[in-house]
Every structure is written in structure tokens, then in C-alpha cells.
Amino acid sequence: MYQELPRPTIFAHRGSKAHAPENTLAAFKLAVSQGAPAIELDAKLTSDGEIVVFHDQTLNRTTNGSGAVGNTPLAALKELDAGAHFSQAFKGEKIPTLAEVFETVGHLLFINVELTNYATPRDVLPEKAAALVAKFGLQQRVMFSSFNHIALQRAHQQLPGVPLGLLALPGMVGAAARSWVGRRWVDYQAIHPEVRDASPRLIHSAHRRGRRVHVWTVNQRAVMLRLFQAGVDGIFTDDPPLAFSVLSELDI
């Protein structure tokens, strides 16, 4: 399915994050109903080795809990409210497991699974995520991305047919990842630069090597228009309806 993704691909960032609480089943189901061909989500391990879909290292910002996700067992995480911070309309929304997301929307769209074991880079998240992809038969509907190229290498060892996206930090900090050095780290199929680094030169260089460019995080109409006209292959956006509105103005 990766090869058949539309260009540009609209990735609903953490689900339809502008319209529902991020990284929840509600956000992912909304992205489906809005017509998004792909979603992006963040995967990390609980203290008892389960994979949950959650962005931050700590629970404070998006739940009524506190402390580190990685120090909390799944049962305790399931007691938390992950929706009320966004709106009372989503009160009671839970932190989903990656298995629950796969079961709910895995066969409805393409999924970018970001391996976010940045605080615990030696954990077994890559192997467990790969095993879960295989269990649900989603090898053709998933790609792995990460700023951690070692995590990508380990996921690739488990599922060599699943495409990889190398995330690059903005500015000089991410310059190596965007250069030939990144290609030496891991044989990725897509480079994921921050929006300010998505230059025509980078796009042309990636295309010349047969790689896609997926840009994060793009939420402004003018920036979407510029990137679409520059030939970018995809954007991660909190607002898929806005992206589709911009696309409708172009003859792409």
C-alpha cells in the first residue's frame, strides 16, 4: 500500500488532533471519517511491557494522571481520562493500546507508527511493535518512523518489508539526518523533515534517490500550498480537512 499512497499523502497527525483528543481512538476514527488516507501515532512501552499510543513521556499534559508513562502499568493507564483535557465532549476517552488501534482502524487506512522509545532507547519496543504488525497482518499498511535510527534498524530486522521513515530534528541539530549521513545510518524509504527544513533542494535530492518526503507538522494554509506546489510527498497535519481544502484548490 505504501507505493500506492496518494501524492501528497495527508497524514492525520496523532489522529485528527485539531478536532479530537490526540492519539485516541476518537481521533483516529474521526480521521477515517474525514477521508484521511493515513494517520500518524506515537508508540511507547508501559512498565509491564505493553505498547500504548501516547506522545509525551509523562501523563500530565493530556490526561488527569501524572508521572512517566514508562513507569506505569497498563491497568493504571486505562483508569485515566485522556479526553477531557480537549473537551468535555470527549470525557472518558482512554489511552489506547497499539493493538486496539490496529484492530479498530488498521485495515481502513495507512499507519505511520513512530517508535518513541527516546527515554529508553534500549528497550524492546521495536521488536514488540513489529510482532504486533505481523499479528494483525498489517505489513502492507504500516511504516515505522523514528528519530532513533537504531530503533528503525531493529524494526527492519524483524519486518524487512515494512518501509522506514527517518525523522529529522529541525535546523542544524537534524542536518546529519537530512544528509548522506542519515542514509548511512539506515536505509529509509522516506525522510521526515520539520516544516522549516523542507526546501525544494531537499525534496529534489530525496526524489532523485527514489525516496519520499513527508513533512511535519503542517497546519497553515499558506505553508501547505507552498509544500504541495514544491512536490512534497506527504504532510503530517493536525487538521486534515484544511489540507483537503487546500488540495482542492490545486490541479494536482
Side-chain angles (χ1 to χ4, degrees), residues 42-188:
D42 305 283
K44 52 175 49 71
L45 291 177
T46 66
S47 65
D48 48 351
E50 300 295 329
I51 305 178
V52 289
V53 177
F54 201 84
H55 177 267
D56 296 3
Q57 297 297 336
T58 62
L59 296 159
N60 305 53
R61 181 177 65 88
T62 60
T63 79
N64 59 340
S66 62
V69 178
N71 292 338
T72 310
L74 179 61
L77 293 176
K78 283 296 187 180
E79 294 296 317
L80 301 177
D81 187 317
H85 76 279
F86 183 87
S87 165
Q88 284 299 303
F90 293 98
K91 184 178 180 180
E93 193 71 25
K94 299 301 182 183
I95 298 171
T97 64
L98 185 58
E100 288 171 335
V101 176
F102 284 170
E103 185 175 24
T104 304
V105 300
H107 291 281
L108 299 178
L109 36 59
F110 190 81
I111 303 178
N112 181 115
V113 177
E114 182 180 344
L115 302 172
T116 65
N117 56 338
Y118 305 125
T120 54
R122 297 183 184 224
D123 69 22
V124 293
L125 176 65
E127 289 78 12
K128 288 201 167 190
L132 207 55
V133 170
K135 176 182 177 180
F136 282 87
L138 295 175
Q139 293 92 326
Q140 301 302 313
R141 287 186 168 269
V142 163
M143 75 181 301
F144 293 119
S145 71
S146 187
F147 293 102
N148 179 358
H149 65 274
I150 296 175
L152 293 179
Q153 291 170 352
R154 287 168 53 191
H156 178 72
Q157 289 172 356
Q158 302 299 311
L159 293 176
V162 171
L164 307 177
L166 179 63
L167 278 156
L169 290 166
M172 290 303 297
V173 180
R178 296 190 302 272
S179 74
W180 63 269
V181 177
R183 298 191 296 274
R184 295 289 292 273
W185 287 343
V186 60
D187 186 18
Y188 59 80

Side-chain angles (χ1 to χ4, degrees), residues 10-13 15 17 215 217-219 224 235-240 243:
I10 307 303
F11 288 88
H13 180 235
K17 181 174 173 285
V215 182
T217 303
V218 189
N219 292 321
M224 290 177 181
I235 63 167
F236 300 100
T237 181
D238 301 338
D239 195 348

